[in-house]
Amino acid sequence: MDSVQLQELMRGKLEGMPTKARRVIEYLLSNMREAAFRSIGEVADDLSVSKAQLVRVARILGFDGYSDLKEALQQAILEKINPATMLARVMDDQESLPNVIYKTEHANLDDTWSQLPPGSLDAFCSLVREARNIHCLGWGISSLVTEHLFMRLRVMGLAALSMRRGSLTLLEQARSVGEGDLIVVCELPSYVVEVTETVELARKKGAKVVAIVDSPAAPLCRFSDLNFFISAASPTFGSSIVGPLFLTHILTSVLAVHMGDRAHTALEEQAQFLHDERIFHPVFGLKY
């Protein structure tokens, strides 16, 4: 059963349902990803209903129990982000693909901007400025986002470290994380077990955690001190990084202003480096 069929099934059962059951199905329709990856207890608590109520709704929908409904939700979500499925969907669509991408990325920027909570930028700046070391953690496409963050932080003279899978696993790298450190982690679907375990270990060792994720359902949100939610929709590939990169641009720019003279001095030093004609062609001018 794909996501469209599952949604049609749930909408078809809404008519004439008791209030609590209707509220459960409306929640599932609006929060498919969250429901797919959260426990029955967490969903029940959010809705202020019993676990038994969730089981009853699952049976109304034709499933043997809530675990079967949850599995159907997970399969529907995975089908939606499968690159091969996404490409096939676009090939069947008559609209111009570049136009679809253009509109999707504009929506990603707008959605990412609208999800910035009041005070979150100041909270981020405080965590960074108080940190002993800042570990920028990412896996796969998400590592492109954290590499951008790492580069910006280092240019501002901060003790930033890039954590990405290479000769050492992420868990091995996390052994050096400790009290007073900050981990800034980006995680886009599919969620990686080792990333979650690494963040959990760092938290146990006393580090603070900032998460850049597409959904509260991301497993690492259980261990984060501050969350930034971004939109990463893409018509062809699993996730777009336009929204996350936009967010890191905002975060580092606001941070530079918060740092004041310290950031100004670091950027002046960087400007001097850019005059090194052994590396850069002077004819193109100074730009960073």
Side-chain angles (χ1 to χ4, degrees):
M1 184 184 303
D2 63 25
S3 60
V4 174
Q5 293 169 328
L6 184 56
Q7 288 174 329
E8 287 177 351
L9 171 64
M10 290 191 283
R11 289 193 184 100
K13 296 290 186 179
L14 277 173
E15 191 74 28
M17 268 199 165
T19 302
K20 284 188 176 181
R22 185 182 182 88
R23 188 149 53 87
V24 170
I25 291 184
E26 288 173 345
Y27 170 85
L28 296 177
L29 283 167
S30 301
N31 303 276
M32 285 185 66
R33 181 174 291 177
E34 287 80 355
F37 296 100
R38 300 178 75 191
S39 70
I40 184 172
E42 289 172 325
V43 174
D45 289 343
D46 270 4
L47 293 171
S48 300
V49 299
S50 66
K51 295 178 185 178
Q53 177 68 58
L54 295 180
V55 173
R56 283 195 292 272
V57 169
R59 289 175 177 165
I60 290 172
L61 293 172
F63 296 95
D64 290 337
Y66 187 78
S67 61
D68 291 328
L69 170 58
K70 183 176 176 179
E71 183 177 344
L73 288 167
Q74 289 175 348
Q75 290 302 317
I77 293 299
L78 292 173
E79 177 267 335
K80 286 178 69 175
I81 64 173
N82 183 314
T85 302
M86 296 169 78
L87 180 60
R89 191 182 302 126
V90 169
M91 290 171 67
D92 291 337
D93 197 340
Q94 298 301 309
E95 189 173 0
S96 165
L97 178 57
N99 189 50
V100 171
I101 294 172
Y102 173 77
K103 291 191 293 187
T104 301
E105 296 297 12
H106 267 268
N108 284 336
L109 293 175
D110 289 340
D111 289 347
T112 298
W113 174 254
S114 68
Q115 292 183 87
L116 272 175
S120 59
L121 296 178
D122 287 342
F124 173 80
C125 292
S126 295
L127 287 169
V128 169
R129 295 180 68 180
E130 293 166 4
R132 182 184 63 171
N133 297 301
I134 306 131
H135 301 266
C136 303
L137 168 60
W139 174 296
I141 193 171
S142 301
S143 68
L144 301 179
V145 178
T146 52
E147 185 69 17
H148 176 252
L149 175 66
F150 159 72
M151 178 188 71
R152 287 279 181 90
L153 295 177
R154 289 302 293 263
V155 165
M156 286 190 283
L158 294 168
L161 301 162
S162 180
M163 289 182 70
R164 55 196 303 178
R165 214 173 193 285
S167 55
L168 292 175
T169 67
L170 295 176
L171 283 166
E172 287 173 310
Q173 294 174 61
R175 290 170 56 194
S176 66
V177 178
E179 191 79 33
D181 286 350
L182 174 67
I183 290 214
V184 184
V185 52
C186 179
E187 174 107 282
L188 303 173
S190 298
Y191 305 131
V192 178
V193 172
E194 189 178 346
V195 171
T196 305
E197 292 177 344
T198 301
V199 171
E200 182 181 11
L201 175 61
R203 185 64 185 272
K204 287 178 180 177
K205 291 167 71 68
K208 297 285 187 181
V209 178
V210 173
I212 299 173
V213 291
D214 68 315
S215 166
L220 61 85
C221 286
R222 301 196 305 269
F223 310 108
S224 57
D225 299 281
L226 177 64
N227 292 321
F228 289 98
F229 297 112
I230 51 84
S231 180
S234 170
T236 48
F237 294 97
S239 295
S240 164
I241 60 171
V242 171
L245 287 175
F246 169 61
L247 175 65
T248 59
H249 184 36
I250 291 174
L251 292 175
T252 51
S253 298
V254 172
L255 176 62
V257 174
H258 270 248
M259 289 173 60
D261 290 343
R262 181 182 175 188
H264 186 269
T265 300
L267 292 174
E268 285 285 1
E269 292 173 355
Q270 179 69 13
Q272 292 303 313
F273 170 71
L274 293 175
H275 284 295
D276 189 337
E277 295 181 12
R278 295 170 302 172
I279 303 171
F280 301 103
H281 291 287
V283 69
F284 294 107
L286 175 63
K287 189 173 183 181
Y288 194 80

